[in-house]
Structure formats: C-alpha cells, structure tokens
Amino acid sequence: MATAPRLALGLLFGCAIAFPQLFQPVLDDAYAYLLSSSIYRSSTFETFWTVIVYAIAEGSYIYRFIHYPQLRLANLKKVAEGHKPIPKLQRPKNRVREGFTYIAPLLLMDLTMIKKFGGVSVRDMAISGNYDPNTLSIRGNFLAPTLHHFTLHSPLQTQRALPPLPPTSRQLVVQLAASILIYDTAFFFFHLALHKLPYVSRIHNIHHKHGEINPQVTNQLGIGERLGLVLLANFSLNIIKSHVMTRTLFVPMFVWLLVDIHSGMDHPWGYDKILPQGWAAGSKRHAAHHQYGQKYYEPFFNWWDDAYEWVTTRRQAEDPSASKCP
C-alpha cells in the first residue's frame, strides 16, 4: 500500500536534488512573496507559525482518533471485545494556560535575541539587532546566541534579517533531511538522559503521566523539557546554517512527525509505512516506549535505538550483573 507514495516521494525528492532548475521559478516566486511580507520578517513569525501548524496537526489527528476507533492502537488487539472508550481529552478552551506556557518563553527569546540564517551577512544581522554594522559587536557564529542591543530607540528585537536570495530545491531537500537526522540523533541522547539520570528524569515524568496515548500527549511537557526540544530543533537547523525557507518548511514536517508518533493510531499512510522497512520508529514503537519506558528512546528512526540495544545486550552477556543497572 505504501509503494505508490514511496515511489512518488522518491521521484519528487530525486528530481529536486538532480534537477533543481526545474523547481527554481516556483521557489523564486514563493520567496519573493515571503520577503515582501512584514509578517514573515517579524522576529516572532516562527513561534506563531509553529503554534498554528501544531493546532492544525493535533486537531486533525484528534478528529481521526475520535471518529476512527479502528485505527487506535488500543483497539487493534481488542476487535472481538469491542472498542475501548475514548480517553478523556482536554477541550481547547481548557488549554489556554498550556498555550501560554509554550509561547511565553519562545516569545521572550524572539524579542531579545538576534535571528541568524544561512545566506545573511553579519552586517545585516547586526543592523537587525540594533548594532553598529561597522563594529565587531556581533558574532557571526550560528551556535553562539547574540542579544539584541537594547536602546530606547529599539527596545526589542522585532525584525529578522532574511537572505536576499531563495534556496535551491537541492538545498531545501538536503537541509531538511540533515536537520531531521541531526535532531533525531541529538534527541536520542537527550531523551536517554531524561530516563537514566535520576534528578533529570523528574522533568520528564509529566510526559508519561497518561492512560491511553493520544495526540494531546505530544505537548504534555514541562517547561524545561519543552525548551529543550525547541533548542535541539534550533541547534539542528543552525549547525548546518539553514536557509530561512528551510526552517519554514521544517516546522510542519517536524510537528507532523511529533504528533504522528504520539497519535496512538496505526495509519496505513504513516511515515513508518512509507520509508523502507526497519528505518522508522512510528507510532507503535513510540507507544511501546510510553507504556514500558525501558527502550525506544529515538523519536523518528531506529538506528540509534538498535545500536543501543546491541551494546546493552552485549554488556549484559559479558556481565550479567550489568542488567541490574539502568
């Protein structure tokens, strides 16, 4: 069933990499439109873009979770017994506080720190941050945060300097793939630490306090862990100096993957069905992690989990007492 979409996506991405000139006119027009938008130039654009995308993604998954009970993982082995009742879900009006706790720290960073994108000169970054472009007051290092130069004339970082030229389709595909892979690796080690380090694990406990896993669990996070996820995502994009348009496309891809693995449903068109067998974790594997908490720490793929399992299995075989250790 996944053969057709797999071939279609493979052909699309292959052409985007091999023949970028085919897609350039569309990218030129799209980026010209974005550059002309004051909303897109706003320093807070990515925060609100993420919130909008998440609301749409979670809402669509919640609809299917409620109206298509045959997709729920909890029902797959209980067909003869009938479907389990739908777990208690929060209504949108009761999630205002959750939304505020998500947005507030991100807006604080948006309004106090300079945005750095691939293709933007240090001079333009300095001007956007209210620095004198003829001084060395700002660092061009993409991983080093730089505070806005606060003055009465410019009390907050309200604009972001954007690259003058659009990316190529090859650049977009390569950067999107690289950023997702980097995030997947970084989060594996971050997630492993959240489970294995006694004092750190406390901030992760809230994410596992639920009955049947469902799409709303995606954002069931403490402030510390939520900031950790955002910083890891930014690190994954900044370390490869991503174009701002890559970041704009990264958000829906990233959010969709996060909601999908927490959906508690087995979709026939899930990304784990589209990718080659054994590559993707998917919702089943992540649901097993939430149920048992002893394995499957990688969010999107399987390679680091498989390597970790191989190492721990060998360690236990050589030293049986090691199985008692976390």
Side-chain angles (χ1 to χ4, degrees):
M1 190 171 183
T3 302
R6 184 182 299 168
L7 289 175
L9 289 173
L11 181 62
L12 176 63
F13 293 147
C15 288
I17 293 173
F19 308 106
Q21 66 275 13
L22 297 177
F23 301 86
Q24 203 57 49
V26 175
L27 291 176
D28 289 344
D29 291 343
Y31 191 62
Y33 173 78
L34 292 174
L35 274 181
S36 67
S37 170
S38 59
I39 296 176
Y40 194 68
R41 288 183 171 275
S42 170
S43 63
T44 60
F45 172 81
E46 281 188 1
T47 293
F48 288 110
W49 173 233
T50 304
V51 171
I52 291 170
V53 169
Y54 180 80
I56 294 172
E58 189 196 272
S60 65
Y61 272 85
I62 285 291
Y63 179 87
R64 290 192 291 275
F65 188 85
I66 294 173
H67 292 90
Y68 297 91
Q70 70 274 16
L71 295 177
R72 287 163 52 199
L73 297 174
N75 290 329
L76 294 183
K77 297 181 180 180
K78 297 181 178 294
V79 176
E81 305 172 17
H83 294 148
K84 293 182 65 175
I86 296 172
K88 185 178 180 180
L89 301 173
Q90 294 188 63
R91 295 182 179 276
K93 65 179 182 180
N94 297 329
R95 303 183 70 189
V96 174
R97 182 178 179 181
E98 177 185 323
F100 178 77
T101 57
Y102 174 80
I103 293 175
L106 300 185
L107 288 180
L108 178 63
M109 291 190 289
D110 287 339
L111 296 172
T112 57
M113 299 176 66
I114 295 175
K115 304 289 185 179
K116 300 179 181 180
F117 307 120
V120 179
S121 67
V122 174
R123 176 185 175 85
D124 287 342
M125 292 182 198
I127 293 174
S128 74
N130 195 35
Y131 286 92
D132 182 346
N134 297 314
T135 69
L136 298 178
S137 302
I138 176 175
R139 300 178 63 184
N141 188 327
F142 276 64
L143 297 180
T146 305
L147 285 174
H148 180 79
H149 182 215
F150 304 104
T151 64
L152 290 177
H153 172 71
S154 179
L156 294 172
Q157 177 80 25
T158 59
Q159 298 292 311
R160 53 183 190 165
L162 302 179
L165 299 176
T168 65
S169 60
R170 178 184 297 155
Q171 186 179 358
L172 280 178
V173 171
V174 171
Q175 288 185 351
L176 282 171
S179 58
I180 290 294
L181 289 171
I182 292 170
Y183 176 87
D184 186 71
T185 298
F187 184 80
F188 167 78
F189 291 101
F190 176 66
H191 195 190
L192 188 64
L194 289 178
H195 277 268
K196 299 300 183 182
L197 300 181
Y199 295 103
V200 180
S201 64
R202 295 175 183 175
I203 68 173
H204 187 56
N205 288 340
I206 187 175
H207 188 57
H208 284 265
K209 289 183 177 180
H210 58 81
E212 180 184 347
I213 189 170
N214 64 80
Q216 290 187 348
V217 174
T218 309
N219 200 42
Q220 186 176 298
L221 304 165
I223 295 177
E225 185 175 359
R226 183 177 287 115
L227 281 176
L229 300 188
V230 171
L231 293 175
L232 285 179
N234 270 291
F235 168 82
S236 304
L237 291 159
N238 289 342
I239 197 171
I240 58 174
K241 298 184 178 180
S242 292
H243 192 280
V244 68
M245 205 168 180
T246 301
R247 298 177 66 99
T248 303
L249 295 176
F250 174 88
V251 169
M253 178 183 291
F254 177 66
V255 168
W256 168 63
L257 287 171
L258 283 180
V259 178
D260 188 78
I261 63 174
H262 291 94
S263 67
M265 293 181 284
D266 185 29
H267 286 106
W269 42 260
Y271 81 101
D272 55 317
K273 311 291 194 308
I274 296 174
L275 291 177
Q277 187 174 3
W279 282 25
S283 58
K284 283 186 176 181
R285 190 153 169 155
H286 200 70
H289 166 74
H290 272 252
Q291 184 175 0
Y292 303 109
Q294 298 299 317
K295 56 182 179 179
Y296 303 150
Y297 304 102
E298 195 173 359
F300 306 140
F301 302 104
N302 292 334
W303 306 307
W304 286 107
D305 274 330
D306 292 345
Y308 177 73
E309 186 174 355
W310 180 80
V311 170
T312 53
T313 301
R314 287 200 60 179
R315 178 188 174 196
Q316 291 170 9
E318 294 172 359
D319 181 9
S321 63
S323 62
K324 301 177 182 179
C325 300

